[in-house]
Amino acid sequence: MLVPALLLFLFCLRGHAGLSPHFLQQPDDLVALLGDEARLPCALGEYWGLVQWTKDGLALGGERDLPGWSRYWISGNAASGQHDLYIRPVELEDQASYECQATQAGLRSRPAQLHVLVPPEAPQVLGGPFVSLVAGVPANLICRSRGDARPTPELLWFRDGIRLDGTTFHQTLLKEGTTASVESILSLTPSSHDDGATLVCRARSQALPSGKDTAITLSLQYPPVVTLSAEPQTVLEGEKVTFLCQATAQPPVTGYRWAKGGSPVLGARGPMLEVVADASFLTEPVSCEVSNAVGSANRSTALDVQFGPILQARPEPMSVDVGEDASFSCAWRGNPLPRVTWTRSGDAQVLSSGPTLRLPSVGPEDAGDYVCRAEPGRSGLGGGAAEARLTVNAPPVVTALHSAPAFLRGPARLQCLVFASPAPDAVVWSWDGGFLAAGSQGRFLVETFPAPEGRQEQGPALISVLHISGTQESDFSRGFNCSARNRLGEGGTQVSLGRRDLLPTVRILAGAAAAAMTLLMVIIGVTLCCWRHGKASFSKQKNLVRIPGSSDGPSSRGSEEETGSGEDRGPIVHTDHSDLVLDEEGALETKDPTNGYYKVRGVSVSLSLGEGPGGGLFLPPPSPLGPPGTPTFYDFNPHLGMVPSCRLYRARAGYLTTPHPRAFTSYSKPTSIGRPDLAPRTPPFPYAAFPIPSHPRLQTHV
């Protein structure tokens, strides 16, 4: 009741004075920072009544200290109408609409909106303060601002004080009751150069224009960065080369692996590799792969290896028709590139240079082997050659080969050589009244076979042979044709059969046989003559051969000859004749030297030879092929004045067996003979006229 009465009193008083209460100052919208002090002004004129503040329509109270609102109070000179509202410290709950009211006068100020600003907290970068990234792998850095910051803060990224322009940002507002958070995502693909770099995430807003920063350091993991070198880089084939593989990596290197041309080099594990260079290193580079926990990196290098020519493609044999073009190609590899020349086999003349040889319009004379030769380059290493054969297809060329003469009614053989490319359909032999290509026909047989290698200089060759069994007179006078045909034409030649005369050969053989028979008959006759008149003396226990002395005469032969006691008989030679046998009468029997064919008695004739009064000697019989009239024995007539006969000599001093006793199987009992029976009126032969030789007499036998 007191307040309305007071208001009524004031209204009456105003009416009495003629002035009405009014606002001298009204509150305006205000922005206050959380924790700061907020002041909302309010001034009234011509009003001395009650003044109060409302918050969102709720009256705070009429007392100036505003009991119940510890952070709120009204300040100013009330007598002068100053009624300002203070709030300290400002909190989020203070954000509201405020009015200043003069209740007794019924006045209300315009609403004043108090905005409370909450500065952002320092943002948080996920994974910080050291963020581990992998070089070359795209990554997202997340910066998050949490709390009740008002207004919503802006998140910015800086590196070395420079804002990262062009980077993609992503902001997300999350509402969790009254709590909001902001995230900013920075997408980047780091490199090894980013290792240790510092990035700053800054959260700023109207409440905190300078913002708050959070710094992170990039700890970059990256696969090895490899550097591969070779020493020396240019090398001759066969020299040693050292490869060095250097790498930087985070985390550290865990292993090395070497390869050549994609194939692992077994046993190579460290950062160094030593090899002996060859031609393959020019095209097969050496690579080094280095690994760590993040990944691996590979580097490769090729050597400049100088080497001699290596054949890559051989020239292929060719077969072309006459008049067509021919070409050969070959490929050589070398460093430096070799010089390639073409020659003909066996000829030093260079036909062409380069990998290709072209022969226009070839003829049969162009057939043969061609050589592709690689000469050493500047390095002077190596060199080589490869051959290819050119076959020129032409009509067959037929050549007659030497054929041996044949006997009449004997076998014959005719041959021809056929050069033909392509191979002939057949090789045909023809003659008067017949022809034959293969097989047999009557007396004729044909066989054809490849010629030996030595006869194929001009290309493939065949040898065809015509066999003739039982030649006839007409075969030696007729001509035999050897011909061949292929798709390009026909060729042939004529082969003649030579004749060998049988008569000269028969004459020679017959003459030789007659001479041999004559010689044999003479030898046999002399042997029979001497054997018939020989005499041998044998001992049953031992065979003694006595060589008589010069005093030996007819009167000295007696019992001493049987016992061998004469001192003047000369030396006695003891011979062992185990092949002598005794007959039924106790006499020694010898083997027939002719094996019983001529019934020759096996005696040995001992002759006392020496210089007679005339110096005559007994000589061996001459060859029966000598001139007619040549005496069989040496003629003693000029010296002795007599004609010796075959019975002139007597056997003396025993009997000698044949030196080959076991060559005979029949034996003839020797006949004891004495002084020869001389013809009437023939003077006695002075046997003792011959001196005793100075050596044992030679014993001869047949």
Side-chain angles (χ1 to χ4, degrees):
M1 292 297 291
L2 180 60
V3 173
L6 182 59
L7 293 176
L8 180 59
F9 173 76
L10 292 174
F11 178 76
C12 292
L13 183 61
R14 185 187 63 181
H16 176 72
L19 294 175
S20 61
H22 58 278
F23 281 99
L24 298 176
Q25 185 179 9
Q26 297 186 47
D28 296 320
D29 293 341
L30 180 63
V31 175
L33 189 62
L34 181 68
D36 288 350
E37 181 182 87
R39 171 179 171 271
L40 295 174
C42 179
L44 294 170
E46 301 298 327
Y47 179 77
W48 293 273
L50 180 64
V51 177
Q52 67 173 2
W53 286 86
T54 62
K55 177 183 179 183
D56 292 333
L58 178 62
L60 299 178
E63 293 81 2
R64 296 187 71 83
D65 57 355
L66 298 178
W69 301 88
S70 60
R71 296 180 294 105
Y72 290 63
W73 72 91
I74 298 175
S75 178
N77 188 358
S80 60
Q82 194 69 34
H83 304 278
D84 299 336
L85 177 64
Y86 286 86
I87 304 173
R88 190 177 60 191
V90 175
E91 295 182 0
L92 288 177
E93 62 184 24
D94 298 334
Q95 183 168 300
S97 178
Y98 293 88
E99 291 183 2
C100 180
Q101 297 178 354
T103 57
Q104 294 175 349
L107 296 177
R108 301 175 59 183
S109 69
R110 61 177 177 269
Q113 185 69 35
L114 176 60
H115 298 278
V116 179
L117 300 181
V118 179
E121 298 177 357
Q124 178 186 8
V125 179
L126 299 184
F130 296 98
V131 178
S132 180
L133 301 178
V134 177
V137 179
N140 293 328
L141 297 180
I142 300 176
C143 179
R144 180 175 297 170
S145 176
R146 291 185 176 275
D148 296 328
R150 298 183 182 183
T152 301
E154 179 183 16
L155 300 179
L156 304 176
W157 288 94
F158 295 86
R159 178 175 179 175
D160 299 332
I162 301 174
R163 182 175 175 176
L164 298 178
D165 295 330
T167 305
T168 301
F169 298 96
H170 177 72
Q171 297 181 351
T172 302
L173 178 63
L174 302 177
K175 291 185 178 180
E176 302 173 0
T178 59
T179 302
S181 64
V182 178
E183 291 182 353
S184 177
I185 299 177
L186 173 63
S187 298
L188 76 163
T189 301
S191 66
S192 58
H193 303 291
D194 296 328
D195 187 34
T198 299
L199 299 181
V200 174
C201 179
R202 178 175 298 169
R204 73 179 184 182
S205 66
Q206 184 181 358
L208 188 61
S210 61
K212 286 188 176 181
D213 297 341
T214 298
I216 61 170
T217 300
L218 297 182
S219 177
L220 203 64
Q221 293 185 348
Y222 52 92
V225 178
V226 181
T227 301
L228 179 61
S229 61
E231 182 62 35
Q233 190 71 34
T234 301
V235 63
L236 293 178
E237 186 176 20
E239 293 184 348
K240 287 187 177 181
V241 179
T242 301
F243 292 90
L244 182 61
C245 186
Q246 297 176 314
T248 58
Q250 180 63 33
V253 172
T254 57
Y256 295 84
R257 187 171 67 175
W258 293 87
K260 174 179 175 286
S263 300
V265 179
L266 301 179
R269 291 290 182 268
M272 183 179 297
L273 175 66
E274 289 187 354
V275 298
V276 176
D278 56 33
S280 63
F281 285 88
L282 188 65
T283 55
E284 297 178 5
V286 174
S287 61
C288 173
E289 183 180 82
V290 185
S291 304
N292 67 353
V294 176
S296 62
N298 188 298
R299 289 293 181 272
S300 62
T301 183
L303 292 178
D304 182 17
V305 182
Q306 295 187 353
F307 57 93
I310 298 176
L311 182 62
Q312 288 185 307
R314 300 185 64 89
E316 298 293 334
M318 291 198 65
S319 178
V320 298
D321 293 346
V322 173
E324 294 183 352
D325 297 342
S327 64
F328 294 98
S329 296
C330 69
W332 293 85
R333 182 169 64 94
N335 185 29
L337 291 175
R339 179 174 177 263
V340 179
T341 59
W342 290 88
T343 61
R344 194 160 182 174
S345 180
D347 190 355
Q349 181 181 1
V350 176
L351 303 177
S352 177
S353 297
T356 303
L357 171 65
R358 291 182 174 85
L359 301 174
S361 186
V362 297
E365 67 279 0
D366 296 320
D369 295 328
Y370 290 84
V371 181
C372 173
R373 191 180 311 278
E375 299 179 1
R378 293 188 301 272
S379 63
L381 300 176
E387 289 190 2
R389 172 162 294 185
L390 174 62
T391 302
V392 179
N393 299 325
V397 177
V398 184
T399 305
L401 297 179
H402 173 72
S403 300
F407 294 111
L408 180 63
R409 298 182 183 84
R413 174 187 174 101
L414 302 178
Q415 302 180 94
C416 67
L417 179 64
V418 180
F419 292 101
S421 178
D425 302 330
V427 179
V428 180
W429 286 88
S430 60
W431 58 91
D432 296 340
F435 67 91
L436 186 61
S440 61
Q441 176 182 325
R443 298 182 297 115
F444 302 97
L445 170 67
V446 171
E447 60 176 347
T448 303
F449 49 87
E453 287 293 332
R455 291 184 174 270
Q456 299 191 17
E457 299 87 353
Q458 302 179 17
L462 299 174
I463 292 180
S464 183
V465 182
L466 174 64
H467 298 273
I468 306 175
S469 61
T471 58
Q472 300 176 359
E473 286 288 348
S474 59
D475 295 335
F476 299 102
S477 59
R478 70 174 53 163
F480 293 88
N481 291 321
C482 176
S483 60
R485 173 184 291 275
N486 62 11
R487 62 180 178 82
L488 297 175
E490 182 178 3
T493 188
Q494 189 175 50
V495 185
S496 299
L497 177 61
R499 181 170 180 171
R500 174 180 294 180
D501 193 358
L502 182 62
L503 184 57
T505 303
V506 173
R507 289 176 177 174
I508 294 174
L509 294 178
M517 290 298 296
T518 303
L519 176 62
L520 180 62
M521 294 299 293
V522 171
I523 295 174
I524 293 175
V526 172
T527 302
L528 290 175
C529 180
C530 295
W531 193 353
R532 186 176 302 159
H533 302 289
K535 180 180 180 180
S537 175
F538 305 101
S539 173
K540 294 181 180 180
Q541 303 299 326
K542 179 184 292 186
N543 297 318
L544 300 178
V545 180
R546 183 179 309 281
I547 300 175
S550 60
S551 61
D552 193 6
S555 62
S556 64
R557 290 186 297 272
S559 61
E560 295 179 357
E561 184 174 342
E562 299 293 332
T563 61
S565 60
E567 297 178 357
D568 58 346
R569 299 296 192 271
I572 297 176
V573 181
H574 296 262
T575 62
D576 184 11
H577 298 283
S578 60
D579 54 340
L580 298 179
V581 296
L582 295 175
D583 61 357
E584 295 177 354
E585 298 177 359
L588 283 172
E589 184 176 359
T590 59
K591 300 175 183 178
D592 185 356
T594 63
N595 204 20
Y597 187 83
Y598 292 105
K599 301 299 180 181
V600 178
R601 296 182 182 275
V603 298
S604 179
V605 180
S606 299
L607 301 178
S608 296
L609 303 180
E611 294 183 3
L617 293 175
F618 181 85
L619 299 177
S623 172
L625 300 180
T630 303
T632 303
F633 298 93
Y634 185 79
D635 190 1
F636 287 89
N637 290 335
H639 306 285
L640 304 179
M642 61 172 290
V643 178
S645 65
C646 185
R647 298 169 57 89
L648 180 63
Y649 311 100
R650 58 176 297 183
R652 304 183 61 210
Y655 176 81
L656 290 178
T657 65
T658 174
H660 304 285
R662 290 172 180 81
F664 312 107
T665 57
S666 62
Y667 297 88
S668 175
K669 186 175 182 181
T671 301
S672 183
I673 59 176
R675 182 182 301 274
D677 298 329
L678 303 178
R681 293 183 297 275
T682 301
F685 184 79
Y687 292 97
F690 294 98
I692 298 176
S694 61
H695 54 79
R697 294 194 307 273
L698 296 175
Q699 304 299 314
T700 63
H701 67 276
V702 178

